[in-house]
Amino acid sequence: MNLPPGFRFFPTDEELVVHFLHRKASLLPCHPDVIPDLDLYPYDPWDLPGKALQEGRQWYFYSRKTQERVTSNGYWGSMGIDEPIFTSSTHKKVGIKNYLTFYLGDSQTNWVMQEYSLPDSSSRSSKRSNHGSTSSTHKPDYSKWVICRVYEQNCSDEEDDDGAELSCLDEVFLSLDDLDEVSLP
């Protein structure tokens, strides 16, 4: 699951769906094969290190799609946000991103999961079956697999950064400018 030194795993939504999830659902090889299969729901989000692909403070893994999202200490609840994912070149819908948040009892936590799924393929499957295809047992079942991206959201997340706040390093450099005004004995 480790990437070679110098390589980072920061895929776009489109890359996660087209290059990883679609290939997984189609039973095609994916190179590099870095995203593990994981049954998410027995694990709390803080148990993911060492089980899922970690890049920075985000964890990636394939999981079977299920409505049962209960762990030993809580559950993943939908935030009611479903975003379509389109290709950048043809603007064709290739996936859906669903947002979930982790709850401990009735208390919402800062843990967020983005669950990527492929669009419903029932219309494609019925068109294929009407043509008398003999390979009906080898058709990909797009509904079975999802890719999950899990992270703990906090006030310093880049996604929430509107550019108005300074980073810690910026504040240090700005404070060094103040040294010019200080007279030393």
Side-chain angles (χ1 to χ4, degrees):
M1 269 189 335
N2 294 331
L3 295 172
F7 284 84
R8 302 292 180 259
F9 190 75
F10 289 112
T12 64
D13 292 347
E14 178 184 354
E15 291 167 339
L16 279 173
V17 170
V18 174
H19 298 290
F20 291 96
L21 185 56
H22 188 272
R23 294 184 70 80
K24 176 79 168 177
S26 300
L27 302 175
L28 296 171
C30 186
H31 300 290
D33 188 12
V34 294
I35 302 176
D37 294 354
L38 181 66
D39 185 12
L40 164 70
Y41 305 107
Y43 301 107
D44 294 315
W46 47 87
D47 295 331
L48 292 176
K51 294 176 178 61
L53 171 65
Q54 181 176 357
E55 184 60 55
R57 297 182 43 81
Q58 298 182 2
W59 290 267
Y60 298 85
F61 52 91
Y62 293 108
S63 188
R64 296 286 182 161
K65 190 171 189 174
T66 179
Q67 296 301 324
E68 183 67 26
R69 295 184 173 120
V70 177
T71 71
S72 57
N73 292 308
Y75 66 95
W76 290 97
S78 177
M79 297 171 74
I81 303 170
D82 292 338
E83 291 181 6
I85 299 168
F86 298 97
T87 61
S88 54
S89 57
T90 62
H91 303 293
K92 175 184 171 190
K93 182 178 176 181
V94 291
I96 300 163
K97 179 168 53 170
N98 183 19
Y99 288 85
L100 300 105
T101 188
F102 190 74
Y103 289 84
L104 285 171
D106 291 335
S107 301
Q108 182 176 343
T109 68
N110 290 339
W111 287 97
V112 175
M113 178 169 56
Q114 296 171 345
E115 186 181 73
Y116 296 85
S117 59
L118 296 170
D120 182 20
S121 64
S122 58
S123 61
R124 282 185 289 191
S125 297
S126 62
K127 287 178 186 174
R128 285 185 194 148
S129 62
N130 289 341
H131 293 296
S133 172
T134 58
S135 63
S136 61
T137 59
H138 298 292
K139 284 189 280 187
D141 186 352
Y142 293 104
S143 64
K144 286 187 180 179
W145 290 103
V146 294
I147 287 184
C148 300
R149 174 190 286 156
V150 175
Y151 58 93
E152 188 172 15
Q153 187 175 14
N154 58 36
C155 60
S156 65
D157 278 350
E158 291 179 42
E159 295 174 351
D160 295 334
D161 188 9
D162 61 1
E165 294 185 31
L166 297 175
S167 71
C168 295
L169 194 55
D170 288 334
E171 290 180 17
V172 168
F173 286 131
L174 287 174
S175 68
L176 292 176
D177 290 339
D178 295 339
L179 288 178
D180 294 338
E181 299 170 7
V182 175
S183 60
L184 299 174

